[in-house]
Amino acid sequence: MGGLIGVVMIVKDEEDKLRACLDSVKNIVDEIVIVDTGSVDKTVDIARTYTDKIYSYPWQEDFSAARNFAIDKCSCKWILSLDADEHLETGAGDLRVLITDTASEAFFIPLKNCISPSGSDFNEIGVLRLFRNLPQYRFFGKIHEQISITDQELVRFSNYPVIIHGYIEPGRRQNKRRRNISMITEQLKRQPENQEFLKYYLGCEWLELGKYQQAYECFWSAYNKLDSTHIFFRSSVIRNLIACLRHMGKFEEALTLCMRETEVYPEYTDLFFDGGVVLEQMGEYEIARRWFKIAIDLGTPCILYQHSNGTEDFLAYYHLGHCCQTIGKSEEASQYYQAALQHNKNFIYPLYGLYMVLATRESCEKIISYFSKQGYIESYESRQALGQLLFASGRPDLAVKVCMQAEGLTMLSCELAKYSLYSGNFKQALDVLQKLKTGSQQNNAEILKTEILAYIFMRDISTAQVKCLEMWRHQTMRAEALSLMALIKRLEGRQQTHITKYEPGFVEHLLNIMADCLRSYSEDSGVFIHVAKCCEELISQFEEGSRTLFAFWQREIKGVEMLLDIRYQNMRGLYSWKKRGP
């Protein structure tokens, strides 16, 4: 044989991902073998800049056949199998040291499957992708193909190298799911002897498509057939069964499964985390806290188990914070939210809870300063989240400042235009909107609505009317255009004509405008108050609108009550306050 390590890949139309994959391995392997199954883009041209071992293979709806063809073309002693949307991280250890002077013939290595564009959210599993180039080691299965090694003494687990599977856009992912379902269903007919594994993979596809009953039936079938010798598949099946039961609202069944299987796998962090989430959904916050603390104490599970990043730290801390906040332990909640952010500052959800706790005792300005010093708002997403919270708190002016602190660069967005608008800076709002109205953004409903409201607040009614007519031309925006035209008529003292077809959307759009006006912060508050009153008058014309208004004011009152309750929690027991209504 030639060198020590060869990378083998099958590709098709991967011009946007292939280069990153090959750059990650080109300096650590001796050979790169690429088998193309019918690309029509620049995939093959890119591949030629890295290797001359490029082969064509007619696609036969069989991943194993294509991969095995690639292995046959490799001359190295060891095979590393990769996909084009993956790349290798070798920083944790030397790949060559791992496979030199070893009696092992294959390694399970970590694969991190990114579930968010940032890459900070991922699931981790162990995959058999590194093995000796021997005739008996070939892939089987037309889809979700695997290498089968009967003598487990020859297989080891390693924490390196790590394969990173890149984030796949939702549309592309959904198309792959439907293709996979068709292929697995056909394979089930031809290979009933592998039913438990095929049912597992089929369940994964249904789960990702949100078909929970179908997924549950597949996982349950696999669960009843898999034993302890297939620990990875069995542990993953258990977690997926719990997910299905949670989505179907069967919390007691999910909890029973968690309790039973944590007895079997007492070291499996993710099961305790899942149990905590189930208990949280059942309203059992104190017990849920104990489960989340166990997950934290256990730490990252071994590679044998399917693992979701964060169940051992930031996710568990976040849920601990939520449980504490819900039962009135706001100081403890604050500590857990901060612990979550310390472990992962890209995980923005603790920001919401921490903000709510701090808002009961600190000014908005002090909260911004504190978040900034702690490094909580360095990312675009975190600044966006804080902007939303500040706007909801009635400080759109501060929301503007947060959105314009992106290392000196303004975050041009519809949100920035909205915050500028409700802080009374109408011209700045229009300037942002004008910059946004390019290309595909030109017919964005939110941009058009914000632009019309800007002219309404500037009392430029004639321009607002012209913009409303432009909006009306778009079939999907007619309910919103109608609500804005009705608002203009009411501001002019005229009555709106009878509305039937667009009534539900009409009420919803006007309620949103009214709510936003209530959160304005400007020296010229009169125009916002006037618009809000006109919206309320228009909504109350309808029976359903009156009910919607009543529900809205109830939510607003409850929000105030909650803040008062947290702020004055030390005085509980010194007074009794009977709240009216349900």
Side-chain angles (χ1 to χ4, degrees):
M1 289 191 173
L4 181 63
I5 312 168
V7 166
V8 298
M9 304 173 61
I10 61 171
V11 297
K12 182 182 178 181
D13 294 335
E14 299 286 1
E15 65 178 3
D16 57 334
K17 295 180 172 64
L18 183 59
R19 197 179 297 279
C21 175
L22 296 178
D23 281 342
S24 73
V25 297
K26 65 182 182 181
N27 295 323
I28 57 175
V29 300
D30 304 299
E31 186 176 61
I32 297 174
V33 177
I34 296 179
V35 171
D36 184 75
T37 60
S39 295
V40 294
D41 62 2
K42 296 180 181 178
T43 295
V44 174
D45 293 335
I46 293 170
R48 284 199 186 99
T49 64
Y50 293 86
T51 180
D52 58 356
K53 300 202 74 171
I54 302 170
Y55 305 91
S56 295
Y57 184 83
W59 179 240
Q60 301 170 7
E61 300 292 326
D62 188 332
F63 285 94
S64 287
R67 291 197 191 279
N68 292 335
F69 177 81
I71 292 173
D72 290 340
K73 300 296 182 182
C74 185
S75 63
C76 291
K77 296 177 181 178
W78 283 82
I79 299 288
L80 175 63
S81 177
L82 290 178
D83 287 333
D85 53 1
E86 298 171 343
H87 66 271
L88 204 66
E89 282 188 353
T90 57
D94 191 325
L95 177 58
R96 290 181 177 271
V97 172
L98 177 67
I99 62 178
T100 300
D101 297 327
T102 178
S104 300
E105 296 193 353
F107 287 89
F108 276 91
I109 58 177
L111 183 147
K112 292 183 178 180
N113 183 33
C114 298
I115 55 178
S116 70
S118 68
S120 59
D121 297 331
F122 59 85
N123 294 323
E124 184 170 296
I125 60 175
V127 291
L128 203 161
R129 297 283 200 89
L130 182 62
F131 51 93
R132 288 188 186 273
N133 189 359
L134 298 174
Q136 62 267 37
Y137 299 147
R138 292 295 184 269
F139 286 97
F140 72 94
K142 289 192 172 185
I143 187 170
H144 292 298
E145 58 283 3
Q146 305 167 54
I147 294 288
S148 177
I149 298 180
T150 54
D151 187 352
Q152 294 301 305
E153 295 297 319
L154 299 173
V155 183
R156 281 178 53 194
F157 294 87
S158 175
N159 291 321
Y160 68 91
V162 179
I163 299 173
I164 307 296
H165 190 286
Y167 174 72
I168 302 176
E169 297 77 14
R172 187 179 178 187
R173 189 166 61 242
Q174 296 296 77
N175 291 335
K176 282 191 172 184
R177 298 288 178 203
R178 295 185 177 92
R179 177 206 66 188
N180 291 352
I181 286 172
S182 176
M183 292 181 69
I184 297 170
T185 302
E186 183 62 31
Q187 195 170 349
L188 270 167
K189 298 175 185 176
R190 299 181 181 182
Q191 293 181 313
E193 69 276 10
N194 291 323
Q195 187 176 96
E196 59 268 38
F197 301 107
L198 293 172
K199 282 292 182 72
Y200 162 76
Y201 286 122
L202 186 59
C204 291
E205 305 297 348
W206 284 125
L207 180 59
E208 290 297 322
L209 288 172
K211 304 294 184 181
Y212 304 116
Q213 184 62 44
Q214 293 96 318
Y216 174 82
E217 291 169 2
C218 291
F219 289 132
W220 186 252
S221 175
Y223 177 72
N224 287 321
K225 291 182 175 65
L226 291 167
D227 57 30
S228 58
T229 61
H230 299 105
I231 188 169
F232 165 72
F233 284 101
R234 193 172 188 277
S235 64
S236 186
V237 163
I238 294 165
R239 292 202 68 204
N240 288 332
L241 276 172
I242 294 166
C244 290
L245 290 168
R246 284 180 50 227
H247 283 294
M248 294 189 291
K250 298 181 179 181
F251 302 122
E252 291 185 2
E253 288 183 44
L255 182 59
T256 299
L257 184 58
C258 285
M259 294 176 70
R260 181 167 67 239
E261 294 298 337
T262 49
E263 291 290 326
V264 180
Y265 306 113
E267 71 283 7
Y268 190 10
T269 304
D270 297 62
L271 273 187
F272 285 94
F273 173 82
D274 290 344
V277 172
V278 171
L279 286 160
E280 185 181 347
Q281 290 182 295
M282 295 173 71
E284 299 289 348
Y285 300 108
E286 286 289 2
I287 307 174
R289 290 171 68 200
R290 294 203 290 270
W291 282 63
F292 290 129
K293 287 178 180 178
I294 293 173
I296 291 169
D297 290 340
L298 286 172
T300 305
C302 72
I303 196 174
L304 284 169
Y305 298 109
Q306 188 263 0
H307 169 57
S308 297
N309 181 45
T311 56
E312 76 281 26
D313 45 48
F314 69 89
L315 289 175
Y317 279 121
Y318 166 67
H319 283 275
L320 272 169
H322 178 259
C323 289
C324 288
Q325 191 170 17
T326 303
I327 60 180
K329 298 183 177 182
S330 56
E331 285 305 314
E332 197 172 343
S334 173
Q335 293 171 14
Y336 286 131
Y337 287 140
Q338 291 182 75
L341 289 165
Q342 286 166 8
H343 280 87
N344 186 353
K345 290 181 181 179
N346 291 321
F347 184 61
I348 65 170
Y349 297 104
L351 278 177
Y352 294 95
L354 182 58
Y355 180 93
M356 291 301 295
V357 172
L358 295 178
T360 63
R361 61 174 185 263
E362 302 288 355
S363 68
C364 292
E365 288 88 349
K366 285 186 177 180
I367 294 174
I368 295 172
S369 176
Y370 176 73
F371 279 9
S372 181
K373 287 178 182 177
Q374 296 298 318
Y376 294 159
I377 51 174
E378 293 177 354
S379 69
Y380 174 89
E381 291 77 12
S382 59
R383 287 190 297 274
Q384 194 175 39
L386 182 56
Q388 293 168 355
L389 287 164
L390 290 165
F391 181 74
S393 301
R395 293 302 303 270
D397 58 320
L398 295 179
V400 170
K401 289 182 179 179
V402 167
C403 289
M404 297 181 74
Q405 287 176 349
E407 299 175 358
L409 300 173
T410 300
M411 288 166 28
L412 284 178
S413 64
C414 200
E415 287 79 13
L416 175 59
K418 179 179 177 179
Y419 303 151
S420 299
L421 182 67
Y422 287 98
S423 59
N425 198 333
F426 307 135
K427 290 184 178 179
Q428 178 176 296
L430 286 172
D431 182 56
V432 173
L433 291 169
Q434 190 59 41
K435 292 175 181 176
L436 289 172
K437 285 176 67 176
T438 56
S440 59
Q441 294 273 33
Q442 195 167 8
N443 296 323
N444 181 291
E446 191 64 26
I447 289 176
L448 293 175
K449 183 191 81 170
T450 307
E451 185 179 31
I452 292 166
L453 286 169
Y455 287 113
I456 289 175
F457 294 144
M458 292 170 68
R459 298 177 177 84
D460 187 350
I461 300 301
S462 59
T463 303
Q465 287 174 324
V466 171
K467 297 292 181 181
C468 277
L469 291 174
E470 289 179 12
M471 194 177 201
W472 178 262
R473 294 192 184 99
H474 302 280
Q475 186 72 33
T476 57
M477 303 181 195
R478 289 197 167 176
E480 196 149 19
L482 182 62
S483 65
L484 289 164
M485 286 191 280
L487 175 59
I488 290 171
K489 287 185 177 181
R490 179 56 61 103
L491 288 167
E492 291 181 319
R494 293 184 288 154
Q495 294 297 316
Q496 172 61 35
T497 55
H498 185 62
I499 298 167
T500 53
K501 180 179 177 181
Y502 297 104
E503 182 182 327
F506 179 87
V507 169
E508 178 189 352
H509 296 311
L510 287 172
L511 186 68
N512 290 337
I513 294 170
M514 186 186 83
D516 289 342
C517 285
L518 295 176
R519 286 159 178 76
S520 62
Y521 189 88
S522 169
E523 293 180 1
D524 185 12
S525 61
V527 66
F528 296 111
I529 294 171
H530 185 40
V531 169
K533 284 183 176 180
C534 287
C535 288
E536 189 174 30
E537 290 168 3
L538 287 166
I539 294 169
S540 60
Q541 291 179 138
F542 309 99
E543 183 179 345
E544 184 60 35
S546 296
R547 284 196 289 269
T548 302
L549 272 174
F550 180 72
F552 168 79
W553 287 117
Q554 276 192 317
R555 289 194 300 273
E556 291 291 299
I557 291 168
K558 284 183 179 178
V560 174
E561 287 179 351
M562 182 190 72
L563 287 173
L564 289 172
D565 199 33
I566 295 173
R567 179 171 291 180
Y568 299 110
Q569 59 183 309
N570 293 332
M571 294 178 63
R572 285 177 183 156
L574 298 180
Y575 66 92
S576 60
W577 178 21
K578 185 177 180 181
K579 299 174 183 177
R580 296 181 180 179

